[in-house]
Structure formats: structure tokens, C-alpha cells
């Protein structure tokens, strides 16, 4: 999609009627999105300037935690919009019956996969990758197999697939590469696993960036932040020869929202440059639309996976519990 189409989309969003004066839109999201360095503060300011409303972000640990909270709250949830689920959670989320059709124009999307879902709206995407500290690990594994077979004194930090979308992504990645042999791979990886955290922020900032281990499960885009903001090439993503698992992050609005029109306005706003341009360095992910030259130069230095690995949402929903049980059994021996 051309940048002209994106600008047209922005213009259309800005022309939406101001009917939300005094309303508060509650958006559940994950904690890194609302952090001072994340996109949340700038997104809040930009949206409130056009909606004459209050945008209230509620920060939770990760996408899995968001879905669990929605299940507990049911139709009593105060959330109007949920921002931060992904393709691996979409089918389970849809089965809750809590979400409404997005009614969002998706013609501006630029994704590595075809998108025609009527409920969930993509807002960014990326590939899962192990990020490593080049000063502590000058020669990282070049494949998932090499990581699995590495000496056990190579320590890694990963996230829990029951609560974290990166953790669930790694579960899918290992299953995609190893199939029925995944339990054996997990048994070997568990001997190298220093910590399994509930969310990405704890793994990356509290452990990896404090030098607890030389590798952490994150994204191929993570080094862009360090190169563009920290002005260092020290942290890089390992390029695995089997390919990398794709994540598309999505948002959806709740059926029970008392601010349905405002929720629709926010969903449309997500695909405008005012929102999308905050993602490459704020959320450190690829934007879901073409932002042209606004994409930082550091993105030209990132690894480009040779193969994209992906299960469909229905495949994940069908087998996720069995694969999580398989992971628990293999890593608890």
C-alpha cells in the first residue's frame, strides 16, 4: 500500500466526528507498551488531541495475561479495547464471544501474511529471535539445532508460554522445527534455561540487560532500538537457519463496551501514521502499514529470516494445550 493511501487514512481518521467529549476509553495492553520509553504515552497524547476524550491504558504483564483476565471478568470487564494479543491467541480469544467485529478499514495493511479477519486488527509484527550480547557471546548459535545442542553452560532466558506471547511463540517455533521430537529438544533446552519469566519485560530488562545471561528470547527487531537510541551494535539477533516464527500483534474491541463508537475510532487511529510511526522504536516492531522514510535506518541492519514459520490460529487453538503440557513435562524432568 502506498504512503499516499496511509496519509489518506490518517486524514479520514482525523475527520471522524468529535462525539466523545468527556468519555474515557479503557484499553488493556501489556506493560512495555505503556512504559515511558514505549509508544503508549505518545499514542495517548495524539489520540486524546483528536477525540476530546481520555485514553486510559491498563498495563498487564503480557498478552496471555490479558486473555486470562478477560476470561475471569467476562462481560463485566471494564475494557473497551484489548491491544496486544497475537495470532497464536486469536482463536482462543474469539471463542470467548467477548469481541465485536472491528468495522475497521484494513486496506492500508502491509503485512507478510494475507489478512481478512473481521474481529482482530493487526497493529505491528515481527519475528521471534534470540538476542545475544556480542561482548559475552561473540559466536552465537546459527540454528535452533545448534542452540539445542550447545553446551549447557550457555545460558538463555525465555518466557512462559502460558502467560507470554513470546513464550508461546517459542513453543510454536520449536514445534514447527522439531514436530514429534519437540519434547527431546525442550529437555535439552531446559538445561540451558536460566529463567522462565511471566512476561517479556522481566526477561529482557530485568535479567538480560543486567547481564544474567548472554541470550534472551525476544525479536529480530530488538537490536534496532539499541542501534538507533543507545547508539551501540552490542546486542544482535541470532539468525537461525531453520527460519523464524512470525508474530502479528492484534487489537480488538469488546462487545460490552459502553463506548463503542469511540472504540471504533481508536481502532481506525491505530492504522494511521500518528500511531504507526511510534512503533519501530517505541514498541520495536515493524509497523502494520507502510510508513515510508519514517522507518528508522537501523531497520536496514536487522537480520532477515530466510524462512517464515507459522501455524494458523486454528491449528494453535487445536493443539496448544497438548503442546504446553508437553513442554511442562519435558522441562520438569
Amino acid at each position: 500500500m502506498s504512503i499516499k493511501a496511509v496519509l489518506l487514512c490518517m486524514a479520514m481518521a482525523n475527520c471522524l466526528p468529535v462525539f466523545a467529549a468527556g468519555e474515557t476509553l479503557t484499553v488493556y495492553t501489556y506493560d512495555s507498551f505503556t512504559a515511558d520509553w514505549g509508544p503508549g504515552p505518545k499514542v495517548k497524547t495524539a489520540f486524546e488531541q483528536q477525540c476530546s476524550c481520555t485514553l486510559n491504558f491498563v498495563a498487564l504483564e503480557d498478552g496471555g495475561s490479558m486473555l486470562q483476565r478477560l476470561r475471569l471478568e467476562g462481560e463485566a470487564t471494564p475494557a473497551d479495547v484489548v491491544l496486544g494479543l497475537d495470532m497464536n491467541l486469536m482463536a482462543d480469544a474469539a471463542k470467548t464471544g467477548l469481541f465485536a467485529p472491528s468495522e475497521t478499514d484494513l486496506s492500508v495493511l502491509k503485512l507478510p501474511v494475507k489478512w481478512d479477519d473481521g474481529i482482530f486488527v493487526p497493529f505491528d509484527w515481527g519475528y521471534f529471535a534470540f538476542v545475544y550480547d556480542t561482548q559475552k557471546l561473540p559466536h552465537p548459535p546459527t540454528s535452533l539445532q545448534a542452540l539445542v545442542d550447545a553446551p549447557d553452560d550457555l545460558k538463555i532466558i525465555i518466557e512462559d508460554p502460558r502467560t507470554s506471547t513470546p513464550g508461546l511463540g517459542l513453543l510454536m517455533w520449536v514445534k514447527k522445527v522439531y514436530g514429534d521430537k519437540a519434547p527431546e529438544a525442550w529437555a535439552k533446552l531446559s538445561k540451558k534455561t536460566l529463567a522462565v519469566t511471566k512476561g517479556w519485560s522481566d526477561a529482557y530488562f530485568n535479567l538480560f540487560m543486567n547481564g544474567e545471561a548472554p541470550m534472551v528470547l525476544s525479536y529480530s527487531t530488538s537490536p534496532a532500538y539499541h542501534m538507533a537510541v543507545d547508539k551501540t551494535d552490542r546486542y544482535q539477533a541470532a539468525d537461525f537457519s531453520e527460519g523464524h516464527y512470525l508474530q502479528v500483534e492484534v487489537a480488538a474491541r469488546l462487545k460490552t463496551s459502553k463506548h463503542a463508537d469511540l472504540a471504533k475510532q481508536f481502532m481506525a487511529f491505530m492504522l494511521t501514521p500518528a500511531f504507526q510511526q511510534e512503533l519501530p522504536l517505541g514498541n520495536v516492531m515493524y509497523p502494520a502499514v507502510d510508513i515510508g522514510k519514517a522507518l528508522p535506518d537501523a531497520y536496514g541492519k536487522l537480520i532477515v529470516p530466510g524462512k517464515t514459520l507459522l501455524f494458523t490460529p486454528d491449528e494453535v487453538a487445536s493443539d496448544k494445550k497438548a503442546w504446553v503440557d508437553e513442554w511442562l513435562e519435558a522441562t520438569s524432568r
Side-chain angles (χ1 to χ4, degrees):
M1 184 58 60
S2 71
I3 190 67
K4 289 183 179 178
V6 177
L7 293 172
L8 177 61
C9 175
M10 178 180 68
M12 292 175 65
N14 284 337
C15 290
L16 288 171
V18 177
F19 44 72
E23 291 186 67
T24 296
L25 187 75
T26 299
V27 177
Y28 283 5
T29 187
Y30 42 77
D31 51 9
S32 60
F33 193 91
T34 62
D36 290 343
W37 46 264
K42 292 181 179 177
V43 164
K44 175 180 169 65
T45 298
F47 185 64
E48 289 181 345
Q49 285 176 346
Q50 70 172 248
C51 72
S52 298
C53 68
T54 299
L55 177 56
N56 175 38
F57 283 124
V58 176
L60 302 172
E61 282 186 312
D62 213 320
S65 300
M66 269 187 275
L67 183 54
Q68 289 177 12
R69 178 154 169 175
L70 284 174
R71 282 174 169 146
L72 290 172
E73 294 176 341
E75 294 185 354
T77 181
D80 299 299
V81 172
V82 173
L83 186 153
L85 304 177
D86 73 358
M87 289 181 70
N88 291 329
L89 295 173
M90 277 173 47
D92 282 347
K95 287 179 183 175
T96 66
L98 294 172
F99 296 98
S102 71
E103 300 183 30
T104 303
D105 178 9
L106 304 180
S107 62
V108 295
L109 288 176
K110 185 179 180 182
L111 300 173
V113 291
K114 182 181 178 182
W115 198 270
D116 55 9
D117 191 272
I119 293 177
F120 300 97
V121 176
F123 63 91
D124 67 16
W125 62 278
Y127 296 100
F128 295 114
F130 279 91
V131 173
Y132 65 99
D133 182 341
T134 60
Q135 293 185 3
K136 296 183 177 181
L137 191 65
H139 304 292
T142 57
S143 66
L144 189 56
Q145 183 71 53
L147 175 60
V148 167
D149 292 337
D152 291 343
D153 59 358
L154 172 58
K155 294 304 179 187
I156 61 174
I157 302 163
I158 64 174
E159 297 87 2
D160 191 326
R162 296 168 296 181
T163 55
S164 162
T165 56
L168 185 56
L170 179 60
L171 190 79
M172 300 300 125
W173 194 0
V174 170
K175 194 67 184 179
K176 200 71 178 179
V177 172
Y178 286 95
D180 293 341
K181 300 294 184 183
E184 289 88 335
W186 279 120
K188 290 184 177 180
L189 280 175
S190 69
K191 296 178 181 178
K192 289 174 259 295
T193 303
L194 177 76
V196 180
T197 64
K198 290 183 69 176
W200 175 86
S201 294
D202 195 20
Y204 202 90
F205 288 107
N206 294 340
L207 297 177
F208 176 68
M209 292 304 292
N210 281 317
E212 296 294 333
M215 295 191 85
V216 62
L217 176 65
S218 188
Y219 296 89
S220 67
T221 44
S222 299
Y225 181 88
H226 299 293
M227 289 188 281
V229 179
D230 298 335
K231 308 301 181 185
T232 178
D233 295 337
R234 177 175 175 176
Y235 304 102
Q236 296 296 324
D239 190 358
F240 282 0
S241 59
E242 299 95 338
H244 290 244
Y245 200 88
L246 175 69
Q247 182 187 47
V248 178
E249 292 197 293
V250 300
R253 62 186 184 92
L254 279 297
K255 280 183 179 176
T256 51
S257 170
K258 295 182 173 64
H259 312 285
D261 288 337
L262 186 58
K264 292 177 192 175
Q265 186 177 351
F266 180 77
M267 301 285 281
F269 173 75
M270 286 194 322
L271 300 184
T272 67
F275 184 104
Q276 290 287 312
Q277 289 179 1
E278 300 301 331
L279 298 177
L281 295 182
N283 219 32
V284 201
M285 295 283 278
Y286 290 102
V289 306
D290 185 356
I291 60 171
K293 294 182 179 179
L295 189 68
D297 292 342
Y299 274 71
K301 302 176 183 178
L302 300 176
I303 66 166
V304 178
K307 183 178 181 182
T308 297
L309 306 178
L310 187 66
F311 287 110
T312 68
D314 287 341
E315 287 174 328
V316 176
S318 173
D319 294 319
K320 185 178 71 174
K321 183 180 183 307
W323 295 344
V324 169
D325 290 345
E326 189 177 82
W327 168 74
L328 284 169
E329 182 176 354
T331 56
S332 61
R333 292 172 184 164

